[in-house]
Amino acid sequence: MNAALLAPKAILGIKEDRQELSAPAVIDTSLVHPIAQPTKAHVRHLDFWYGTHQILHDVSLEIKEHCVTALIGPSGCGKTTLLRCFNRMHDLYPGNCYGGEIILNPDGLNIVCPTTDPLEMRMRIGMVFQKPNPYPKSIFENVAFGLRLRGVKGSELRDRVEWALQSAALWEETKDRLNENALSLSGGQQQRLCIARALATLPEILLLDEPTSALDPIATARIEELIDELRGRLTIIIVTHNMAQAQRVADVTAFMYLGRLVEIGPTKQIFENAAQELTREYVQGRFG
Amino acid sequence: MENMRQAIARRRRVDLIFHVLGAICTSVGIVTIALLLGFLIVKGANRISWEFFSSYPSRFPHKSGILPALVGSGLVMFVTSLLAIPIGIAAAIFLDEYAPRNWFSSLIELNITNLAGVPSIIYGLMALGVVVYWMGLGRSIAAAGITLALLILPIVITATREALRSIPREIREAAMAQGATRWQMVRHHLLPYSLSGIATGVIIALSRAIGETAPLITIGALSFIAFLPPAPIQSQPPFLSFEWLSSPFTVLPIQVFNWVSRPQPAFHEVAAAAAVVLIVFTLLLNSTAMILRKRARSRISW
């Protein structure tokens, strides 16, 4: 409790100077990072406002290609808000405003720049939501929709739906019932269908917003297995409130608090030997 | 202990009293409909025959029929649906999915809600000035269709918006996150998922329009008509004719009104028979709406 009250001051103290803030954060990921992967997305001095209320404060971090990056932190720390910046979901609602930049490699496009087409970003970056939200259509149509938007038709469509369902480890369970309504699936299957739906269009980054928080432990374990299978093939950013999950699935973990990035580093380091006192207290469950 | 039991018994009595009172209040509606229909059927049943549907009104009550009124009601409803359904649905989609939330859209919303409460005679007066004279459509089927379409537009809009709002935000976000445009989201997701709800609202709106009398009298529907509008399909090219749109017309409720206002009791029987036809139409429409609503609920549960 005390730590939680003291923490914001501590962070504010550290981050008063922009130079001081950005330098360690960048060095943290690029020099100390054990995984020598190229950077897929580079978040630089990202601010986010909802109306006059600033939710993200000067967040800087690197998302490594083909790695799983977990965003952890207590409720309201801005981890979901940060995630939804990557595919410009905030544009759907009025009064939202971005500052800073998210550079998407290899073409170096700034995702949050007003002149960047949010549609293009959403076609290149897939998303899976907290609550399984399949369309009330057939299992096949759920996966096919994104492909149809991209003009895929006929046998190629069928092949790619099958591929996506296989990639999401759902094919064996659904191959004989592709025309059944997706709502007839169990919660865990629905969430894997949502992952298949996102995978079908070959996203460059897959955003997972607390994908297992509405699922039972067995369904959760299957999703985590799936994330593990996708590692090395796909860049994944996962928001989770479950620290054990972050430890199980993430290569890199970023700890956020009150709209700021406190620390980012290899998962093992964050959980066992964090540089910041605040991070150590959070991962040890002393607040949050 | 004894006190507690007495208190329970007292609360039970109050509960029972409301149970009975509520049942009585509910039965008021059912009994009214049953009495109304029963009374009309007893009075007019022996008049309902094939001739009744296929004859024109006449000076002689036993020869009178509702053919022009039926055709008139049908054609007017056709024009009304053609206008009110697409305009109403499009307006609702725009308001819910496209329009920015500001004072102006709130003003429009408030206005639509208010329009639903405007007395229908006012629509008649407005239509007489604007549609009949200013637009020069005269006392025609087209003018009547436009008038009733304006009348039910707020109902269609409100029902469509309600159906759209019952779709959870997550579904919209899912479609948008896949890179759909708003229109693709509406076309491939929102419309199909809310179709039953929209259809229910549209049918209820139409069943209101079919019984409307006042605005049509205001714009000058004839109450005695012994001819049919020109047929829309012709045997000679170009085969399609839109002359019927500018034809004078009558509708069922006006025909009923005309017969009721005659002094001869025999005409009152004819009126009762026509009223039965009208009520059966309305009840059929409403039952369809109910079935659709029920089907929608069982098919999709969010």
Side-chain angles (χ1 to χ4, degrees), chain A residues 140-197:
Chain A
F140 182 89
E141 281 305 320
N142 261 278
V143 184
F145 176 67
L147 295 166
R148 287 190 205 279
L149 286 181
R150 288 150 179 86
V152 180
K153 288 191 196 104
S155 64
E156 197 198 341
L157 182 71
R158 277 195 300 281
D159 290 347
R160 288 184 63 175
V161 168
E162 179 181 337
W163 175 86
L165 287 168
Q166 271 169 349
S167 304
L170 195 61
W171 177 248
E172 289 305 317
E173 295 150 78
T174 57
K175 63 182 176 191
D176 300 321
R177 47 190 290 208
L178 289 176
N179 290 319
E180 275 178 44
N181 196 306
L183 296 176
S184 66
L185 296 171
S186 73
Q189 288 173 324
Q190 288 187 9
Q191 195 61 305
R192 273 181 283 143
L193 181 64
C194 292
I195 294 176
R197 185 169 74 180

Side-chain angles (χ1 to χ4, degrees), chain A:
Chain A
M1 188 62 206
N2 271 343
L5 285 174
L6 287 172
K9 280 181 207 152
I11 301 171
L12 286 170
I14 296 166
K15 310 224 160 164
E16 253 166 9
D17 185 349
R18 212 168 228 256
Q19 287 303 315
E20 245 182 65
L21 158 84
S22 59
V26 173
I27 290 165
D28 252 14
T29 49
S30 56
L31 295 184
V32 188
H33 207 297
I35 306 157
Q37 284 288 341
T39 300
K40 180 64 197 168
H42 199 158
V43 180
R44 281 204 287 234
H45 305 303
L46 184 73
D47 295 318
F48 180 78
W49 286 271
Y50 178 71
T52 53
H53 183 53
Q54 187 168 4
I55 296 174
L56 294 181
H57 300 261
D58 198 15
V59 173
S60 294
L61 55 90
E62 285 178 35
I63 303 296
K64 292 292 180 181
E65 192 161 29
H66 298 165
C67 290
V68 179
T69 304
L71 304 178
I72 61 167
S75 306
C77 70
K79 53 194 193 297
T80 293
T81 306
L82 172 60
L83 190 78
R84 289 165 71 98
C85 288
F86 280 90
N87 63 346
R88 296 275 296 269
M89 285 305 274
H90 298 298
D91 290 37
L92 299 183
Y93 306 100
N96 294 323
C97 177
Y98 308 89
E101 52 189 19
I102 302 179
I103 301 299
L104 182 65
N105 289 327
D107 47 354
L109 202 64
N110 177 11
I111 293 174
V112 296
C113 178
T115 55
T116 303
D117 189 351
L119 239 55
E120 184 191 327
M121 288 305 109
R122 293 179 200 138
M123 295 188 93
R124 291 174 58 178
I125 297 174
M127 184 167 196
V128 174
F129 296 82
Q130 192 170 352
K131 202 180 132 209
N133 57 352
Y135 306 124
K137 293 187 176 206
S138 72
I139 293 167
F140 182 89
E141 281 305 320
N142 261 278
V143 184
F145 176 67
L147 295 166
R148 287 190 205 279
L149 286 181
R150 288 150 179 86
V152 180
K153 288 191 196 104
S155 64
E156 197 198 341
L157 182 71
R158 277 195 300 281
D159 290 347
R160 288 184 63 175
V161 168
E162 179 181 337
W163 175 86
L165 287 168
Q166 271 169 349
S167 304
L170 195 61
W171 177 248
E172 289 305 317
E173 295 150 78
T174 57
K175 63 182 176 191
D176 300 321
R177 47 190 290 208
L178 289 176
N179 290 319
E180 275 178 44
N181 196 306
L183 296 176
S184 66
L185 296 171
S186 73
Q189 288 173 324
Q190 288 187 9
Q191 195 61 305
R192 273 181 283 143
L193 181 64
C194 292
I195 294 176
R197 185 169 74 180
L199 290 178
T201 53
L202 307 171
E204 296 173 34
I205 300 178
L206 182 62
L207 309 173
L208 304 172
D209 183 6
E210 300 195 25
T212 61
S213 65
L215 304 181
D216 63 59
I218 293 169
T220 299
R222 296 216 57 175
I223 301 274
E224 287 179 8
E225 269 170 43
L226 178 56
I227 294 171
D228 204 45
E229 279 168 33
L230 295 170
R231 184 198 316 278
R233 292 195 275 153
L234 186 64
T235 310
I236 295 176
I237 309 177
I238 178 171
V239 165
T240 178
H241 62 267
N242 180 338
M243 282 184 274
Q245 181 170 65
Q247 269 179 293
R248 285 193 297 266
V249 304
D251 303 304
V252 181
T253 297
F255 170 56
M256 294 182 66
Y257 191 65
L258 297 175
R260 292 164 196 278
L261 177 76
V262 177
E263 192 171 357
I264 181 169
T267 301
K268 203 170 151 64
Q269 181 191 316
I270 292 290
F271 280 94
E272 289 167 11
N273 188 22
Q276 302 285 341
E277 176 62 29
L278 194 62
T279 313
R280 284 200 293 275
E281 283 182 358
Y282 182 74
V283 299
Q284 286 163 14
R286 273 190 259 155
F287 75 98

